Amino acid sequence: MKIVVCAKLAPDASDIEVRSDGSISLDRAEWRIGSFDLQAIEAAVRLRDAHGGSVTALSAGPQRINHSKLRKDLLSRGPDELVLVAEDVLNGADTAVTAQVLAAAVRKIGAVDLVLTGEGSADLYFQQVGLQLGELLEVPAFNAVSKIEVKDSGVRIERSLEEETEVLELPLPAVLAVTTDIHTPRLPNMKEILLAAKKPVYEWSLADLELENAPEPRVEAVSLRAPRPVERKRILIEGSPEEAAQSLAGYLVKEGVV
Amino acid sequence: MDFRWTEEQELLIQSLEELLQREAPETLMAELDARHEFPFKPWQALADNGILALGIPEEYGGVPADITTLTLVCETLGKYALPLGIIYSLGIITIRDIIQFGSEEIKAKVLGGFVRGDLPVALGITEPQAGSDAAAMKATAQIDGDDVIFNGQKMYCTLAKIAKYILLMTRDAQGTNPYASISMWLLPTDTPGLRFNILNKVGWWTVPTYEVFIENARVPRKNLVGQFNSGWPQLMANFEIERLALCAASVGAAEAALEDSLSYANRRVQFGNPIGSYQAVQHILTDMAIKNENMRNYIYKVAWMMDQGQSVRHEHAMCKLYVARAACEVTDSAVQIMGGLGYMMDHRVQRLWRDIRLMRIGGGTDEIMYNIAGPQLLKHARKS
């Protein structure tokens, strides 16, 4: 089984700095593999280990993602090879552009049986790319996938929905966006980290992807601001449950919450 | 001068930090401490994630790692779960002795087992009358055909009962020079004739220490590690890295103490303001941070020197002396910053404070470190 797993490399949210005007600085942020994509990588590697084949990690973004530590980090988690589409024009790409670039890269990789993604990106979390990717590749695409089993020539998947678990059988190829609870991602050890430096990395430009049309964004980011911090009220409610509930309701009305 | 870690070191430490947060969270370490229980599960997690394989030869399942990398691992263990850093550091000397001097048979069973999660080999050196003057030991090894029979008593033998082996040091009573009369043996802890008495300590509650009584304990003669009567120089060969590892774990603990103190100083409000806004508290915090930075730089420098193959004969002793004292001061300051809460058993800093105190005694006391460093400094001065 030939699996492609898509991973977004993005600034670590814990390193984001908020300037006094509310704007956000990513200058000092360390870039990492999206936390939701780690589950997709783990699912891909487990499927390969159980059924054979290969795992290609795929990432698209600005030049910044073509960094040796990020490459080693990705490959130390189990994929056999890495394809990077790193161009600064992809900085801040919306889901449509990202999906178009990834779809072209998947076509160029060729003969792919399964594409896995995380449930959303760690920075913007639109949860759109997986489904758009399936549409562009014209293959079945599902999100909220919490279990994948290889069955005959296809896969049997479980989807964790709000009040039920949906079980589906799909032909391959397919695109699946996995949930955070599908597996606990492995932690790379030194052997895997050292091995990662020896695995192949393919750097493709947008021109290499031979897109018929330049990817068109569908979203225009007007501004990005951190919410203003609100002073905590530090209200301590005491009394019997009835009195406390009444008091709480009073505070909520007073604060305009309800 | 380049202070950066390699990318591989950065990735390894990131991975280890996440592992410790998953497998050895503070809540678990506090519970184990309160119950005086050894951290078996977190230790196995270190093995399962390849941490124990670091620095072990590849033919025994290990992965190459330089001393700087091992130092970073000890520091990280010390910061997130000090007992694991202590256990790992204690194992470094015995495991490296086995690597360097053990027979193929000994290496295969001990090193392979360690990589898979066996506890480190305990070190049986100190005796009731032989502490800092370790060469005054009296435990004997009597050759009897293909076997050897041990008799004697060992003190402060950490891990002895729960480990699979003790690296036992014995003295040849016939030898006139004590330093040329000591031998090193691998003694399985299930050998008949061994009796263990657990010792109650002020700290290190999850890392048990024993008094070991040895009466006619018989093992095959091939359990000799290295050469007969060469045990002293063999042991000394790896004391330097053990001390560095203990220092690194101490630095990690001091970093944890500072983090707790900073967080508390920002949160705790007295006289209408966070206590961190008062200069008296800021001065303590700044002194703690300076000590941590100095300690870190010192251990990295010594590790780097060892990786370069340079002698650290007096540097390692000065480093141990400085770090052990500075880490005690930092953890003590953390208790002070946190006031009454710091003295309560519910908070981590009291544990760090108790556990770190032993660093000025174990692995060579402060006074012995002076004894090592002082003459070496004078010797160097005479040469130059």
Side-chain angles (χ1 to χ4, degrees), chain B residues 67-121:
Chain B
I67 291 171
T68 303
T69 303
L70 297 178
T71 302
L72 297 176
V73 167
C74 289
E75 181 186 348
T76 308
L77 292 172
K79 180 172 178 179
Y80 288 88
L82 180 57
L84 295 178
I86 292 167
I87 299 159
Y88 188 82
S89 302
L90 293 177
I92 275 190
I93 185 168
T94 51
I95 291 298
R96 289 184 89 88
D97 281 336
I98 299 287
I99 292 171
Q100 216 167 329
F101 305 109
S103 65
E104 271 312 308
E105 187 182 337
I106 287 176
K107 282 198 261 195
K109 63 183 174 188
V110 175
L111 302 180
F114 182 71
V115 166
R116 289 189 296 274
D118 282 356
L119 301 196
V121 176

Side-chain angles (χ1 to χ4, degrees), chain A residues 35-47:
Chain A
S35 51
F36 303 110
D37 299 328
L38 293 174
Q39 280 84 10
I41 296 170
E42 184 64 31
V45 170
R46 286 190 191 210
L47 285 170

Side-chain angles (χ1 to χ4, degrees), chain B residues 44-228:
Chain B
Q44 188 59 49
L46 294 181
D48 295 343
N49 285 273
I51 297 300
L52 302 186
L54 293 170
I56 305 287
E58 288 176 275
E59 57 266 39
Y60 307 108
V63 179
D66 60 12
I67 291 171
T68 303
T69 303
L70 297 178
T71 302
L72 297 176
V73 167
C74 289
E75 181 186 348
T76 308
L77 292 172
K79 180 172 178 179
Y80 288 88
L82 180 57
L84 295 178
I86 292 167
I87 299 159
Y88 188 82
S89 302
L90 293 177
I92 275 190
I93 185 168
T94 51
I95 291 298
R96 289 184 89 88
D97 281 336
I98 299 287
I99 292 171
Q100 216 167 329
F101 305 109
S103 65
E104 271 312 308
E105 187 182 337
I106 287 176
K107 282 198 261 195
K109 63 183 174 188
V110 175
L111 302 180
F114 182 71
V115 166
R116 289 189 296 274
D118 282 356
L119 301 196
V121 176
L123 179 59
I125 177 168
T126 303
E127 296 183 5
Q129 78 295 339
S132 290
D133 182 13
M137 69 180 67
K138 289 179 179 170
T140 59
Q142 183 193 342
I143 304 296
D144 182 27
D146 288 339
D147 290 344
V148 57
I149 301 166
F150 302 121
N151 278 285
Q153 182 186 351
K154 293 292 175 184
M155 278 297 283
Y156 310 136
C157 194
T158 300
L159 304 177
K161 190 178 179 184
I162 57 174
K164 276 191 175 172
Y165 306 99
I166 298 171
L167 195 66
L168 184 72
M169 310 301 293
T170 62
R171 169 81 189 273
D172 180 357
Q174 310 302 316
T176 48
N177 177 1
Y179 301 106
S181 311
I182 288 170
S183 298
M184 182 183 274
W185 308 86
L186 188 71
L187 172 61
T189 52
D190 58 0
T191 305
L194 298 187
R195 196 158 50 82
F196 302 90
N197 176 37
I198 194 161
L199 301 168
N200 287 321
K201 306 193 294 292
V202 171
W204 288 31
W205 288 353
T206 57
V207 189
T209 300
Y210 301 87
E211 186 176 15
V212 185
F213 299 93
I214 309 164
E215 289 176 59
N216 296 319
R218 178 186 287 266
V219 303
R221 195 174 165 178
K222 63 184 179 182
N223 279 23
L224 177 69
V225 177
Q227 301 296 313
F228 192 68

Side-chain angles (χ1 to χ4, degrees), chain A residues 7-11 26 31 59-67 70 84-93 97-98 101 123 204 206:
Chain A
K8 184 168 185 179
L9 304 172
L26 302 174
W31 286 50
S59 188
Q63 275 291 342
R64 179 68 180 75
I65 67 168
N66 192 2
H67 184 278
L70 285 171
L84 285 176
V85 184
E87 292 210 18
D88 281 339
V89 69
L90 296 175
N91 195 24
V97 169
T98 304
V101 172
D123 53 354
W204 292 348
L206 285 173

